[in-house]
Amino acid sequence: MSIELPAKSKMRIFVVFLLFISAICGSTNVDTISGEVKIKNVDRIIDCSSQLVKTTSKITLENTGKAPLKNFLLAVESSVKDNLSFLGVKDSNNKDLRLSETVVKGYGDVRFYRVDLKDPLNVGSTAVVVAEAVLTKALQPYPTAITQQEDQLVKFIGNLYFFSPYHVTSQKTNVILNTKTIESFTKVKPFSQLDGTLVYGAYANIGPFTEKELSVHFKNNSPFLTVSRIERLIEVSHWGNIAIEEKIEIEHTGAKLKGPFSRYDYQQDHHSGPASVRSYKTFLPASAADVYYRDTNGNISTSNMKVKKDSVELDLRPRYPLFGGWKTHYTLGYNVPSYEYLYHSGNEYLLKMRVIDHVVDDMQVDELVTKVILPEGAHSIKANFPYPLTRLPDTLHYTYLDTQGRPVITFTKRNVVENHIQDFQLRYTFPTIFMLREPLLVVASLYTLFLCVIIYVRLDFSIHKEAHVKAN
């Protein structure tokens, strides 16, 4: 049995459908690949000397069209888009260019970014931009397990050519390894090996979206430390102090230890365990004070602190060395003066602090959770982040002398590297009169206590009174 809808109802449904489709399309950037953009030259550097793969591409753009060029597209191939942690572009004056993720119809497996030029590129002119990308977990241990005495070998698989939606006239690639121990590598002429660097190209006339596997198998004993999770707690006080505490779970994600571990050999032979991590450096703000470093067993004394002009350097040494597959968990805390990070005008306040701080050189963080505890009574809270983050629902935190609870702003991000060490801004309103709340509560509590003591001393709680016999 079928029901025939009236013509007006069909028209309404059709209009609603069109509005729905337009809303979806309007919420997503859609671009097309312009045939008027050419890449005249690309000089690319792939740095594989640490656990991160850092790519720097110097791109020479050419406008072959009939109108000024305002933007262009960068493309990331499907094989590495899940490893991409950071992407940034700068112009010839070292100024950051605005990036926005977009889509191109027909290329669902490719991630595109639209780059807006500060000044339009005139017809027939060229411009040089520099694109920087950081890949995490792009180096895989091979073999996956080694003994205590063996070096760590890793394998990198990437694209021999610069992946681009445009035609590339000429390109050259340098792969930096910082080691002469290279087991194997892709050999496509012209190429050469200079100490710890592989040089590929120049290659001419490479078409759009061209891919060819680049494989390098080499020695890499740099620390493969991955922060599985870091929970960063920032507690703001208007009495002159900001307390910061970080709970860090860290793991050695390099080649796993195969066979037994000998503490004696490790202490006697300095070359034993070349891929293990004995210690690492963490940098705190220069004004950091009252620093503590502890785990579930208590304070860890095997650490050194050095105060510098622009930072506080901590040389952290875990209770035991970290081999592949080994983990550790610790808490790091310190205080900083609020006047360096908290600004106000009347009842309006601005907190400006880092989303994450330095944990270890060439760090990679799987999950970051940052919590900001504001004073009780703060409201009209607005957050401004330097890059996309996931903000979780606000909660309340209760501590001494709290009656309503302190607002807690929580945000999280995955796949974080050093390039994400940037400031966030938190604006909120806090009436100055609320500063007297806690002192008044203390005064009222003490007054009530003394009043109770006075009443207790002066009252007689005995059941009967003693009889007084008057002497004759």
Side-chain angles (χ1 to χ4, degrees):
M1 179 179 179
S2 60
I3 300 176
E4 184 69 17
L5 294 175
K8 291 184 177 180
S9 299
K10 291 182 179 179
M11 181 59 68
R12 289 173 182 172
I13 294 175
F14 181 71
V15 171
V16 171
F17 176 76
L18 289 179
L19 291 175
F20 178 73
I21 294 298
S22 62
I24 294 177
C25 295
S27 62
T28 305
N29 294 326
V30 179
D31 283 271
T32 57
I33 301 173
S34 174
E36 299 175 348
V37 181
K38 303 292 182 183
I39 296 182
K40 193 172 183 180
N41 184 64
V42 175
D43 286 327
R44 186 171 57 146
I45 298 176
I46 303 177
D47 188 352
C48 299
S49 58
S50 66
Q51 66 172 338
L52 302 175
V53 176
K54 303 175 183 178
T55 303
T56 304
S57 303
K58 185 179 180 181
I59 306 168
T60 303
L61 295 171
E62 183 179 10
N63 184 3
T64 61
K66 299 180 180 180
L69 182 66
K70 296 181 179 179
N71 55 64
F72 67 97
L73 297 178
L74 284 179
V76 180
E77 54 265 57
S78 58
S79 58
V80 300
K81 66 180 183 180
D82 293 334
N83 303 102
L84 181 65
S85 175
F86 173 82
L87 179 65
V89 182
K90 297 183 178 181
D91 60 13
S92 56
N93 296 322
N94 203 30
K95 301 293 184 179
D96 291 327
L97 299 180
R98 182 175 178 270
L99 273 80
S100 55
E101 191 167 357
T102 184
V103 295
V104 176
K105 293 182 179 180
Y107 298 93
D109 294 336
V110 180
R111 180 180 292 180
F112 290 92
Y113 293 88
R114 184 176 63 225
V115 184
D116 297 326
L117 298 173
K118 288 188 178 298
D119 299 315
L121 182 60
N122 294 326
V123 176
S125 301
T126 60
V128 177
V129 297
V130 178
E132 299 178 354
V134 179
L135 304 179
T136 59
K137 301 181 180 179
L139 299 179
Q140 298 300 321
Y142 192 81
T144 57
I146 57 176
T147 62
Q148 183 175 331
Q149 304 297 331
E150 289 182 306
D151 290 313
Q152 178 176 261
L153 299 177
V154 299
K155 180 177 285 189
F156 168 70
I157 298 178
N159 191 356
L160 181 65
Y161 302 121
F162 176 72
F163 190 76
S164 173
Y166 309 114
H167 181 273
V168 181
T169 304
S170 176
Q171 63 177 282
K172 184 178 179 180
T173 300
N174 291 356
V175 182
I176 300 176
L177 307 175
N178 283 347
T179 179
K180 295 182 180 180
T181 307
I182 304 176
E183 301 293 318
S184 63
F185 62 93
T186 298
K187 299 179 181 179
V188 177
K189 295 182 179 179
F191 71 91
S192 61
Q193 179 180 355
L194 302 174
D195 295 331
T197 302
L198 300 176
V199 181
Y200 290 95
Y203 300 119
N205 297 322
I206 306 300
F209 302 107
T210 301
E211 292 187 72
K212 186 175 182 60
E213 182 179 285
L214 168 63
S215 177
V216 186
H217 187 203
F218 61 101
K219 182 180 76 172
N220 188 338
N221 284 328
S222 62
F224 271 55
L225 291 179
T226 298
V227 180
S228 311
R229 176 184 169 86
I230 175 171
E231 184 173 320
R232 180 173 166 86
L233 184 65
I234 303 172
E235 186 171 359
V236 181
S237 171
H238 285 183
W239 294 98
N241 184 71
I242 298 178
I244 301 173
E245 184 176 85
E246 297 175 340
K247 296 180 180 179
I248 301 173
E249 300 175 7
I250 200 165
E251 178 182 3
H252 191 307
T253 53
K256 295 183 178 180
L257 179 63
K258 179 175 64 177
F261 166 66
S262 172
R263 170 71 71 173
Y264 176 79
D265 293 341
Y266 192 79
Q267 292 179 342
Q268 294 297 320
D269 186 3
H270 187 266
H271 298 286
S272 178
S276 66
V277 178
R278 302 172 185 262
S279 64
Y280 53 90
K281 295 184 184 299
T282 292
F283 294 95
L284 305 180
S287 58
D290 305 323
V291 181
Y292 57 90
Y293 168 47
R294 63 171 182 260
D295 59 7
T296 53
N297 295 330
N299 290 330
I300 305 175
S301 59
T302 54
S303 60
N304 296 313
M305 186 175 74
K306 184 184 299 183
V307 179
K308 297 185 175 181
K309 291 183 178 180
D310 57 347
S311 64
V312 174
E313 179 183 302
L314 291 181
D315 184 12
L316 301 183
R317 185 179 296 271
R319 294 184 184 274
Y320 49 86
L322 296 178
F323 285 85
W326 292 19
K327 304 178 182 180
T328 186
H329 176 276
Y330 63 91
T331 300
L332 178 65
Y334 55 94
N335 295 322
V336 292
S338 59
Y339 68 84
E340 292 189 359
Y341 305 94
L342 189 62
Y343 312 92
H344 76 97
S345 176
N347 294 334
E348 302 299 324
Y349 286 80
L350 171 63
L351 176 68
K352 187 176 180 181
M353 297 195 71
R354 289 179 174 179
V355 175
I356 186 175
D357 232 318
H358 180 280
V359 180
V360 62
D361 291 339
D362 298 311
M363 67 181 187
Q364 58 182 23
V365 181
D366 288 343
E367 182 182 10
L368 163 68
V369 179
T370 300
K371 297 182 179 181
V372 183
I373 303 177
L374 297 178
E376 187 179 27
H379 60 90
S380 301
I381 303 169
K382 297 180 181 179
N384 184 22
F385 302 118
Y387 41 78
L389 292 167
T390 301
R391 182 171 173 178
L392 303 180
D394 295 347
T395 57
L396 293 176
H397 174 76
Y398 291 89
T399 182
Y400 55 89
L401 298 178
D402 286 342
T403 57
Q404 299 176 353
R406 305 185 182 190
V408 181
I409 290 79
T410 306
F411 46 90
T412 181
K413 183 173 176 59
R414 303 189 66 87
N415 201 12
V416 177
V417 293
E418 286 187 358
N419 302 79
H420 293 116
I421 301 179
Q422 301 181 34
D423 291 337
F424 71 92
Q425 294 182 356
L426 210 60
R427 298 179 183 273
Y428 62 93
T429 301
F430 182 81
T432 307
I433 192 66
F434 283 5
M435 292 283 289
L436 301 176
R437 176 182 295 181
E438 292 183 0
L440 289 177
L441 283 174
V442 173
V443 172
S445 300
L446 293 176
Y447 177 79
T448 304
L449 177 61
F450 291 151
L451 183 62
C452 292
V453 171
I454 292 173
I455 294 174
Y456 177 79
V457 171
R458 289 182 177 273
L459 290 180
D460 187 0
F461 295 97
S462 60
I463 297 177
H464 63 87
K465 294 183 178 181
E466 295 182 0
H468 296 279
V469 181
K470 186 180 291 186
N472 293 329

